[in-house]
Amino acid sequence: MKIFLDTAIRADIHRLAAMGVVDGVTTNPSLLKIAKAPYREVIADICEMVAGPVSAEVVAEDWQGMVREGRELSSIAKNVVVKIPMGFEGIRAVAELKKERIATNVTLVFSSNQAILAAKAGARFVSPFIGRLDDVGHDGMEVVEEILAAYEAYGYETEVLVASIRHPQHVVRAALLGAHVVTLPTRVLEAMFQHPLTDIGIRKFLEAWKQVPKS
Ligand code: E4P
């Protein structure tokens, strides 16, 4: 399973990418707002730090505008993936950008039906937002399970990018289902490194080492 970072904070991406566990990055307008720098500069820097796909989102509301913005975003770097919101206009834009071989990530997906349409239109990634589904009383991961089964049944090549992840248990469930990608806020990726028994174990070994003859 690929791990993407869901942030536009360059210092975090730089630090965590150096650990060899980051395969890509996803951004959105809310995340770019926090980065507090011109978006082209931020996306270009991220694309240099991470060789894998870097999603950058359009904000136009009509398909023609989405296509224009998609072309502009994809000109920033070769690894930019254009993030397009689900909907009539969005799917039309995905189909157009596909003709130009521009990779897309259909975002704000909350149902299997939406994901099926994204795959048929030729999206490279589909992003079901599981945390936001959980927030309103659904089990977001059930939607991921359905999407994976539907894609498998028909051989769709679109990768399921599990988004809106809130905690490490979401990551485990995504992995057990065979999701292609998870995109993680920095704090969730950091939490995956940690376990209290690891800390206790390290302290015990270091204490024991003090009593090991050194020569
Ligand atoms: C990913 O592509 C999305 O931008 C992100 O995961 C949304 O997460 P949120 O629901 O925490 O805003």
Side-chain angles (χ1 to χ4, degrees), residues 6 26-28 31 83 107 127 129 132 163-166 183:
D6 195 26
T26 51
T27 68
N28 63 36
L31 297 171
K83 213 174 181 193
T107 189
S127 292
F129 274 35
R132 295 194 198 183
S164 187
I165 281 185
R166 303 271 194 260
T183 188

Side-chain angles (χ1 to χ4, degrees), residues 2-97:
K2 285 174 247 178
I3 293 180
F4 290 1
L5 264 178
D6 195 26
T7 181
I9 303 295
R10 287 169 286 182
D12 287 349
I13 296 166
H14 187 261
R15 179 169 51 85
L16 290 163
M19 296 190 186
V21 295
V22 176
D23 301 299
V25 171
T26 51
T27 68
N28 63 36
S30 307
L31 297 171
L32 284 166
K33 180 179 133 189
I34 299 167
K36 290 187 168 48
Y39 74 93
R40 284 187 70 92
E41 176 192 310
V42 175
I43 299 293
D45 284 355
I46 297 172
C47 287
E48 275 192 18
M49 285 186 257
V50 177
V54 173
S55 289
E57 190 159 343
V58 299
V59 290
E61 294 184 74
D62 61 306
W63 70 267
Q64 297 93 335
M66 291 177 185
V67 169
R68 269 195 305 277
E69 289 179 11
R71 288 182 191 129
E72 193 259 327
L73 290 168
S74 73
S75 74
I76 296 175
K78 277 197 297 233
N79 48 336
V80 166
V81 170
V82 179
K83 213 174 181 193
I84 308 255
M86 180 62 208
F88 290 110
E89 301 297 317
I91 291 299
R92 179 79 163 86
V94 168
E96 285 298 315
L97 290 169

Side-chain angles (χ1 to χ4, degrees), residues 103-166:
T104 53
N105 170 4
V106 176
T107 189
L108 290 164
V109 164
F110 294 94
S111 76
S112 312
N113 281 326
Q114 291 178 321
I116 289 166
L117 294 173
K120 286 190 74 74
R124 173 158 176 205
F125 297 104
V126 66
S127 292
F129 274 35
I130 57 160
R132 295 194 198 183
L133 278 166
D134 290 358
D135 290 345
V136 295
H138 294 275
D139 180 2
M141 212 52 85
E142 281 180 6
V143 173
V144 172
E145 190 169 8
E146 283 180 12
I147 297 170
L148 286 165
Y151 282 12
E152 172 76 21
Y154 293 100
Y156 290 131
E157 286 175 5
T158 303
E159 293 182 60
V160 179
L161 192 170
V162 182
S164 187
I165 281 185
R166 303 271 194 260

